Amino acid sequence: MGFPDGFLWGTATASYQIEGAAAEDGRAPSIWDTFSRTPGKVLDGDTGDVATDHYHRWREDVAAMARLGVGAYRFSISWSRVLPGGVPNQKGIDFYSRLVDELLDHGIAPVATLYHWDLPQDVEDAGGWPARDTAKRFADYADRIGRALGDRVHTWTTLNEPWCSAFLGYAAGVHAPGRTGPVDALKAAHHLNLGHGLANRALREVVAPSALHSVTLNLHHLRGEDEAVRRVDAVSNRVFLDPMLGRGYPGDLKRDTADLTDWSFVRDGDEAAIAAPLDVLGVNYYSPTLVRTWDGTSPREHADGHRQGAATPFVGCGDVEFAVQPGPYTAMGWPIDATGMDGLLLRLHREYPGVPLMVTENGAAFDDEVAEDGGVRDERRVAYLRDHIAAVGRAIAAGADVRGYFAWSLLDNFEWAYGYSKRFGLIRVDYPTGERTWKDSAFWYRDAIGANGARIGDPDDDGTVRGQ
Ligand code: GBH
């Protein structure tokens, strides 16, 4: 089994999770600054003020990627760094411009995401994603940054995981801005979709015609009872997939949420605007989700940390139970099951044919420890990556058009509501010194990339790490 020639191997990060320099060179606060500084919202009171200090260590980080041999780097741009208060900030734009140049100098294709959850606080104060105007502001931002970097970026991604922005941010309240209104969350989902469509169109007008245009979704790979699967699928997957791929909003989603809203916030022409052409669909996959219909009486199971009595992100799914799945688990408590990866990719291949796919995030947090020799023997992460890359290979062998794979993450970083307690990196970051150490998984990934994934998934591939 092999990977196609030109398959893009990469690593991924996001601005707020790695950059730090939260008040430097004119950057204005985002909703994650506000949220993380609000007591009780992020574990141990951690913030992204310093993070991995990538804002100052970016050159060293690009050099590490060159040693890894990646063909692409997926990073995100901080909206409030480049347009604080809506006004262009040359110092902020220059940071990304230098980063892009450095990547290109090392033969690494820049894959730029415009929005990885860090909405400028002033845009939230004006209503945030539940307000229609945010979609337009987002398109203006796309135009600005597209003009600045459009001659050099290989792939433009409008949004990262709009499900998290809309439903974790505005319904469950576990992500910034921490609001808990189910109708606002549906409006946010729509305005994220609309923002995606408008930004895609704005970018196409100003960037190089050779650039690819994409969006990244965290699709839930659902298993369990048909009716429960259908409901969760509608409000987590098809709410984005269907309008973005030209089918408009699913009728069953509108029915499931009819007691909350008549969806009149979707105006004439919106669905056409959302259906902007996509060159590639980014897919983030970590673990599958198991659902069933709740009997209404016994204590309801809430896997994945949705506590009893807490606001749910799954709007309109009041009769669904999220079942605990068998282990093993990562340090996030997420079940490890690579069959969800090819299952998800093949479902997209079957049900949304013709759209090339790219795995834009996959990875795992474990409680890494530094060994006596200073190395990090993270063999569970190696096994996780190996098994999930093998699953991507199976999907390709079965006909799916998958163009690349990005490991989450290049570095340990600020893991949102979990702060620095969860480590996803191939490269360990010591806090607060910021010192970087390659884990065994980094050496393993370097070798896997060097071989273009050959032998991964072969029965005799035990994931042995060759080391330096
Ligand atoms: C990604 O989010 C993010 O893009 C990235 O920034 C982050 O660091 C990384 O993954 C690791 O967390 O709520 O029941 O559906 C992934 C977020 C993880 C959200 C799995 C949904 C399933 C539980 N997703 N989670 S549920």
Side-chain angles (χ1 to χ4, degrees):
M1 191 164 63
F3 287 82
D5 287 342
F7 189 81
L8 271 188
W9 297 98
T11 60
T13 64
S15 48
Y16 189 71
Q17 295 183 271
I18 65 166
E19 285 178 3
E24 220 169 300
D25 290 345
R27 178 182 172 285
S30 80
I31 55 174
W32 270 96
D33 295 293
T34 309
F35 190 75
S36 66
R37 290 170 192 162
T38 305
K41 298 298 185 190
V42 173
L43 197 67
D44 299 331
D46 288 342
T47 73
D49 285 357
V50 179
T52 75
D53 199 28
H54 170 78
Y55 192 75
H56 301 109
R57 291 176 174 260
W58 57 277
R59 218 181 272 280
E60 166 189 353
D61 292 335
V62 174
M65 282 188 269
R67 284 174 60 208
L68 278 171
V70 297
Y73 173 47
R74 175 174 180 263
F75 61 98
S76 83
I77 295 167
S78 160
W79 183 350
S80 61
R81 201 183 280 292
V82 304
L83 277 181
V87 180
N89 173 27
Q90 196 57 46
K91 284 185 174 168
I93 294 169
D94 287 347
F95 170 72
Y96 297 106
S97 190
R98 282 192 301 267
L99 174 66
V100 164
D101 285 342
E102 185 82 358
L103 290 166
L104 293 173
D105 280 351
H106 286 85
I108 300 169
V111 175
T113 300
L114 295 187
Y115 186 72
H116 199 125
W117 308 356
D118 44 358
L119 190 70
Q121 183 61 46
D122 63 306
V123 181
E124 170 61 22
D125 294 342
W129 286 111
R132 187 177 174 88
D133 194 45
T134 300
K136 189 181 164 296
R137 291 183 196 227
F138 181 62
D140 292 343
Y141 157 52
D143 169 80
R144 282 282 176 182
I145 196 74
R147 285 176 197 275
L149 307 179
D151 53 335
R152 291 164 286 158
V153 166
H154 177 278
T155 299
W156 290 95
T157 303
T158 52
L159 306 171
N160 174 72
E161 303 192 347
W163 182 82
C164 295
S165 301
F167 295 101
L168 297 182
Y170 292 93
V174 296
H175 279 187
R179 289 161 61 178
T180 51
V183 178
D184 274 349
L186 293 171
K187 288 183 184 168
H190 176 56
H191 298 139
L192 283 153
N193 275 328
L194 184 60
H196 155 78
L198 298 177
N200 176 309
R201 196 174 28 190
L203 285 170
R204 283 180 189 275
E205 280 179 21
V206 296
V207 307
S210 57
L212 301 178
H213 295 270
S214 71
V215 64
T216 279
L217 303 178
N218 64 305
L219 297 169
H220 288 71
H221 183 68
L222 295 157
R223 295 171 177 148
E225 285 174 17
D226 288 353
E227 174 60 8
V229 166
R230 183 198 63 69
R231 277 185 108 92
V232 177
D233 186 49
V235 78
S236 65
N237 298 330
R238 289 182 283 117
V239 61
F240 300 108
L241 282 171
D242 283 12
M244 285 178 177
L245 295 171
R247 300 179 188 180
Y249 284 103
D252 61 334
L253 171 66
K254 292 185 175 175
R255 282 194 298 280
D256 291 346
T257 54
D259 58 331
L260 293 169
T261 174
D262 60 5
W263 287 74
S264 56
F265 49 81
V266 181
R267 299 196 191 156
D268 282 353
D270 284 3
E271 286 166 316
I274 297 166
L278 277 177
D279 301 313
V280 60
L281 174 65
V283 178
N284 293 354
Y285 173 79
Y286 289 88
S287 57
T289 305
L290 179 63
V291 293
R292 60 181 170 237
T293 302
W294 182 42
D295 64 16
T297 53
S298 51
R300 185 140 62 134
E301 273 187 18
H302 283 272
D304 304 318
H306 302 307
R307 283 157 293 115
Q308 189 85 24
T312 175
F314 294 98
V315 173
C317 299
D319 50 1
V320 174
E321 181 169 41
F322 290 79
V324 174
Q325 299 173 73
Y329 306 98
T330 69
M332 300 297 286
W334 301 344
I336 300 173
D337 184 347
T339 65
M341 174 69 92
D342 44 324
L344 178 57
L345 294 170
L346 287 170
R347 179 224 173 158
L348 294 168
H349 169 65
R350 273 195 313 273
E351 295 184 21
Y352 299 89
V355 199
L357 306 172
M358 187 134 90
V359 177
T360 40
E361 280 180 34
N362 172 245
F366 290 108
D367 296 323
D368 303 322
E369 277 168 31
V370 181
E372 258 170 39
D373 64 0
V376 181
R377 308 280 99 82
D378 59 338
E379 60 286 322
R380 284 182 300 172
R381 183 173 291 103
V382 171
Y384 181 98
L385 295 173
R386 181 197 61 209
D387 293 348
H388 286 74
I389 292 170
V392 175
R394 284 197 299 273
I396 293 172
D401 180 4
V402 188
R403 301 284 171 92
Y405 173 92
F406 291 71
W408 183 271
S409 179
L410 174 68
L411 303 165
D412 290 342
N413 59 50
F414 176 83
E415 178 51 31
W416 306 112
Y418 297 87
Y420 299 101
S421 69
K422 303 292 181 219
R423 296 177 174 274
F424 276 89
L426 300 171
I427 297 178
R428 181 181 175 86
V429 176
D430 179 62
Y431 303 110
T433 66
E435 198 188 316
R436 277 97 163 117
T437 306
W438 280 38
K439 304 179 191 178
D440 278 359
S441 55
F443 294 109
W444 177 85
Y445 193 45
R446 177 198 64 186
D447 292 348
I449 293 171
N452 196 34
R455 289 191 60 249
I456 293 181
D458 287 359
D460 63 338
D461 170 32
D462 62 359
T464 304
V465 177
R466 272 185 272 149
Q468 321 208 23

